[in-house]
Amino acid sequence: MSTVATSRPVTPTGSTPRRRTALDWRIRFGVLSLIWGFSFLLIKVGTAGYAPFHVTLGRLVFGTAVLAVAMAVKRERLPRGARTWGHLAVAAFFLNALPFSLFAYSELTIPSTLAGICNATSPLWGMALSLVALSEDRPTRRRVAGLGIGFLGVLTVLGAWQGFHGLDATGTAMALLASLSYPIGWIYVRRTLAGSSHSHLSMTGAQLLLATAQLAFVTPLFTTLPSHFAVVPLLAIAALGALGTGLAVLLQYGLVAEVGPTTAQMVTYFIPVIATAAGVAILGESLTWSTPVGAAIVLAGAALTQARARR
């Protein structure tokens, strides 16, 4: 989820391509799209029985467990060096702890469909921030136009011409801030951890471990232990962590290694479609014409912001 109410792995440069797997990449691409698209529904179900911080902590615990198993199978070790761990702690906050918590809190008051569409604005925030923070990213007319079109789509989704009637401003702002957190984290990673000699799996395992520790520290300060354990929301949290945070990262690694990051990141454009369909069909959330139309405009703008000038 741009990549997500999903885990964004730390991706050092200079890695060697992996061998092709037996399962066609298109199938894995579709599975990844479904997993991240359904993540917003799982968040909604989880928050029906547990506090948002409990949902986020559980998600990170299950996700970290999947990465730990993968590291054990491949005999990977956690990275070394205090400097690396310090940078990973910042990445864990902006790429996992903060956006996961914000999405969980936002879905207390907004539908999962809206949260999924807000997630699609992440490439727009990323393009706007990269023009300021990354000197190698130069603006082009197409990318600037995409930025404007994308935010026009956001206003359409939110029903700006109606004065945002019936919209929970706090929940929507949290979802948009969660989407903004991802590119902040990625720009930080690009400036501090790109080119690391550690493997993707090792770096992301450490990142999720640190995010889990951050939530384990924060959660008792703001919430109390649940008085009872609701089964269905607990299963949703387990699926959200094991699939949406753990397995999804592994699938994304394979796709990036096999077909490249440009094709792999196209999953971002399927997430709001699946999130909307799941929210309407399974949770019975309402849908007005402005939601799908605005989402299509957002995705069109996001696609333009990712376009690079031909050399």
Side-chain angles (χ1 to χ4, degrees), residues 144-169:
V144 172
L147 187 63
I149 292 171
F151 284 112
L152 178 62
V154 173
L155 294 177
T156 303
V157 170
L158 302 182
W161 67 92
Q162 297 176 336
F164 307 105
H165 178 70
L167 184 72
D168 183 82

Side-chain angles (χ1 to χ4, degrees), residues 23 228 255 303:
L23 194 62
H228 69 282
L255 287 172

Side-chain angles (χ1 to χ4, degrees), residues 287-299:
L287 185 68
T288 61
W289 69 267
S290 61
T291 301
V293 171
I297 297 173
V298 168
L299 295 178

Side-chain angles (χ1 to χ4, degrees), residues 5-9 35-36 39 54-72 78 96 100 201-213 234-251 253:
T6 76
S7 172
R8 305 303 205 274
I35 289 175
W36 273 342
S39 292
H54 291 153
V55 174
T56 304
L57 177 59
R59 174 183 188 173
L60 287 168
V61 167
F62 284 106
T64 303
V66 171
L67 268 292
V69 171
M71 290 180 64
L78 291 172
N96 301 110
F100 289 2
L201 183 58
S202 173
M203 296 283 276
T204 304
Q207 177 186 317
L208 288 182
L209 180 63
L210 287 167
T212 303
L234 183 60
L235 292 176
I237 294 171
L240 180 65
L243 300 178
T245 304
L247 178 61
V249 168
L250 300 178
L251 287 173
Y253 284 156

